[in-house]
């Protein structure tokens, strides 16, 4: 028997219109003192005031940190927990986009275990359980509400770094599509494209066998039966909802599809991992200072094209999940799938090339070298890389030449 599956998920996932109103009852299960991490934008909304009022009515004391910054600068985490230490919270509630949820994870980590944030960079460095985190996303993209990773910007490093541990998984993911209703079209597009990239890379990731030590030695272990299930669900939902939501943000059905798609994609890649599109985005993002979701989506069609020789059957399944009808054999459907992903991303304003993203041409080789060095992502890619093939991929994405990836 070769059937194998692994999944690491929150204790509780709650999804649906109005679910934010369950937060007081959920939080009360974990104590009476909640440290709340959010950002200035959401802290100023009537929805946030309503959420705080609900917690107070349930006799839950709160301390709010509302200065979370994009990409979670390392030193901002120290400033955050300095405010919370004397409060002695029973739980941390993250409310906002992916950075707010990552800040909540980092705060829970350092409040529980102390030390410096950089002590925990990498996989399995967190020594044990941390304060429970309740994750309440207000965007639909990163999947951080269900994943075991927090991404940090470290001023001493060129590339962003990650802390990956099952101990970082939120205790509760509470997802209310109404909280995404005010996301502008550009943010909706970038976040949703990030989620679709998560799902496709998780589904097409390398299948690395049934070794019982694999999940004990690696946080991200490649595709398996359960992650495939979540990835295909995400692809179906995002395929039918993302463009609709981009064009009409008031479409509640499409908003729900996209948020559920982002959640399911997080359930997939939180165990399976991502691959080469993410590896290239790390150095590209460092050079161009463009949003993570935009960079990975720019790369995805080129990476899919590069992976065709190793993953045509899986890419064809992606096409079926996106609603494409069978067009001859799996290889023909796989090619049509890549065209459909490119079309969808173009329709929602995703930049089609690295040149248009702002990557300097003289940084193509450096980008390839840096991407190849991110082993946790590269080893997950279904088709291997060496420096020459990585350079060819980055050059193809710079020039917009899809055919160059197939050599």
């Amino acid at each position: 028997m070769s059937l194998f599956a692994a999944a690491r998920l929150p204790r509780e996932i709650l999804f649906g219109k109005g679910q934010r109103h369950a937060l007081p009852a959920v939080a009360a299960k974990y104590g009476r003192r909640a440290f709340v991490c959010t950002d200035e934008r959401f802290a100023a909304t009537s929805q946030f005031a309503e959420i705080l009022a609900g917690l107070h009515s349930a006799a839950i004391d709160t301390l709010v940190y509302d200065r979370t910054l994009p990409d979670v600068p390392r030193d901002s985490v120290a400033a955050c927990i300095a405010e919370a230490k004397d409060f002695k919270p029973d739980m941390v509630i993250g409310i906002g986009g992916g950075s707010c949820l990552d800040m909540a994870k980092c705060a829970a980590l350092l409040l529980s275990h102390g030390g410096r944030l950089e002590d925990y960079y990498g996989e399995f460095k967190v020594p044990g359980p941390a304060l429970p985190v309740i994750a309440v996303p207000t965007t639909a993209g990163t999947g951080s509400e269900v994943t075991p990773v927090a991404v940090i910007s470290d001023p001493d490093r060129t590339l962003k770094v990650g802390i990956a541990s099952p101990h970082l998984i939120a205790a509760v993911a509470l997802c209310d599509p109404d909280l995404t209703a005010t996301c502008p079209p550009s943010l909706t597009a970038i976040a949703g494209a990030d989620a679709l990239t998560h799902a496709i890379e998780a589904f097409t990731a390398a299948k690395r066998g049934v070794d019982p030590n694999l999940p004990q030695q690696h946080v991200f272990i490649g595709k398996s039966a359960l992650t495939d299930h979540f990835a295909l669900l995400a692809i179906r939902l995002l395929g039918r909802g993302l463009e609709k939501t981009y064009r009409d943000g008031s479409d509640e059905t499409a908003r729900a599809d996209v948020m559920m798609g982002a959640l399911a994609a997080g359930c997939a890649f939180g165990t399976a991992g991502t691959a080469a599109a993410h590896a290239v985005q790390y150095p590209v993002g460092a050079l161009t200072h463009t949003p993570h979701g935009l960079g990975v989506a720019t790369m995805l069609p080129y990476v899919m094209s590069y992976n065709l020789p190793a993953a045509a059957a899986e890419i064809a399944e992606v096409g079926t999940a996106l609603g494409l009808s069978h067009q001859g054999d799996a290889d023909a459907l796989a090619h049509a799938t890549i065209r459909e992903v490119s079309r969808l991303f173009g329709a929602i304003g995703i930049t089609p090339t690295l040149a248009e993203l702002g990557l300097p041409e003289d940084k193509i080789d450096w980008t390839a070298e840096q991407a190849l060095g991110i082993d946790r992502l590269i080893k997950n890619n279904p088709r291997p890389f060496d420096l020459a093939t990585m350079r060819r991929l980055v050059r193809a994405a710079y020039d917009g030449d899809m055919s160059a990836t197939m050599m």
Side-chain angles (χ1 to χ4, degrees):
M1 185 182 78
S2 61
L3 186 62
F4 167 74
R8 301 183 179 106
L9 298 170
R11 301 172 202 166
E12 190 171 17
I13 297 174
L14 301 170
F15 182 96
K17 181 179 176 64
Q19 282 295 319
R20 67 188 184 279
H21 300 303
L23 181 59
V26 170
K29 299 174 186 177
Y30 294 94
R32 292 294 166 187
R33 300 176 70 78
F35 182 48
V36 181
C37 296
T38 189
D39 57 23
E40 288 184 343
R41 185 201 69 79
F42 192 71
T45 65
S46 60
Q47 288 175 321
F48 185 69
E50 177 189 47
I51 287 170
L52 282 186
L55 290 169
H56 293 159
S57 69
I60 296 172
D61 292 333
T62 59
L63 176 66
V64 175
Y65 180 85
D66 63 2
R67 298 189 301 282
T68 302
L69 299 173
D71 300 323
V72 193
R74 180 198 65 195
D75 296 339
S76 72
V77 179
C80 171
I81 65 162
E83 297 188 13
K85 280 184 177 177
D86 291 340
F87 181 66
K88 297 186 180 351
D90 300 314
M91 74 200 83
V92 182
I93 301 175
I95 308 176
S99 292
C100 294
L101 306 188
D102 285 357
M103 175 65 92
K105 293 177 182 179
C106 291
L109 166 60
L110 292 187
L111 287 168
S112 301
H113 297 292
R116 305 173 306 154
L117 203 59
E118 48 265 49
D119 296 337
Y120 305 103
Y121 293 169
E123 295 190 358
F124 289 121
K125 299 291 181 60
V126 180
L131 282 174
V133 171
I134 301 173
V136 186
T138 62
T139 61
T142 69
S144 184
E145 65 271 16
V146 293
T147 67
V149 65
V151 178
I152 310 299
S153 296
D154 187 322
D156 297 329
R157 300 187 179 213
T158 302
L159 308 185
K160 288 190 287 187
V161 294
I163 301 171
S165 167
H167 295 306
L168 285 188
I169 298 173
V172 181
L174 198 160
C175 306
D176 186 337
D178 285 353
L179 292 177
T180 70
T182 59
C183 284
S186 60
L187 178 57
T188 298
I190 290 170
D194 188 20
L196 185 57
T197 304
H198 291 154
I200 292 175
E201 287 215 298
F203 187 70
T204 57
K207 189 171 185 179
R208 288 158 54 195
V210 297
D211 179 358
N213 292 316
L214 182 65
Q216 311 312 316
Q217 296 172 348
H218 301 274
V219 174
F220 304 109
I221 63 169
K223 70 190 272 100
S224 73
L226 282 174
T227 61
D228 283 357
H229 167 76
F230 285 117
L232 289 173
L233 172 62
I235 293 163
R236 285 195 296 271
L237 292 168
L238 291 161
R240 79 187 188 196
L242 181 52
E243 190 172 352
K244 288 181 182 178
T245 310
Y246 174 74
R247 299 194 182 284
D248 180 8
S250 66
D251 186 331
E252 289 191 354
T253 299
R255 283 278 185 202
D257 280 350
V258 171
M259 192 178 210
M260 178 69 87
L263 169 70
C267 292
F269 93 87
T271 303
T274 53
H278 279 70
V280 175
Q281 161 55 20
Y282 274 97
V284 168
L287 291 172
T288 64
H289 305 290
T290 48
H292 168 82
L294 182 60
V296 296
T298 296
M299 283 303 305
L300 182 63
Y302 301 97
V303 171
M304 293 174 72
S305 182
Y306 174 83
N307 285 336
L308 266 174
E314 288 81 4
I315 293 172
E317 286 189 72
V318 170
T320 301
L322 287 172
L324 298 181
S325 58
H326 289 284
Q327 303 178 26
D329 59 19
D331 191 59
L333 181 54
H335 281 85
T337 301
I338 298 170
R339 292 193 296 272
E340 171 58 17
V341 171
S342 296
R343 184 210 65 77
L344 173 58
F345 283 172
I348 62 174
I350 298 299
T351 308
T353 69
L354 293 182
E356 292 178 61
L357 207 60
L359 181 70
E361 187 170 11
D362 63 1
K363 291 294 185 180
I364 288 175
D365 285 355
W366 180 86
T367 297
E369 291 162 6
Q370 295 297 311
L372 191 65
I374 307 176
D375 184 62
R376 66 182 173 84
L377 299 174
I378 294 303
K379 69 186 179 186
N380 229 17
N381 205 72
R383 183 182 175 192
F385 280 99
D386 57 23
L387 185 55
T389 53
M390 181 58 78
R391 283 175 175 159
R392 190 164 68 237
L393 173 67
V394 176
R395 168 56 76 175
Y398 181 89
D399 291 337
D401 183 3
M402 199 76 69
S403 64
T405 65
M406 300 180 188
M407 298 170 59

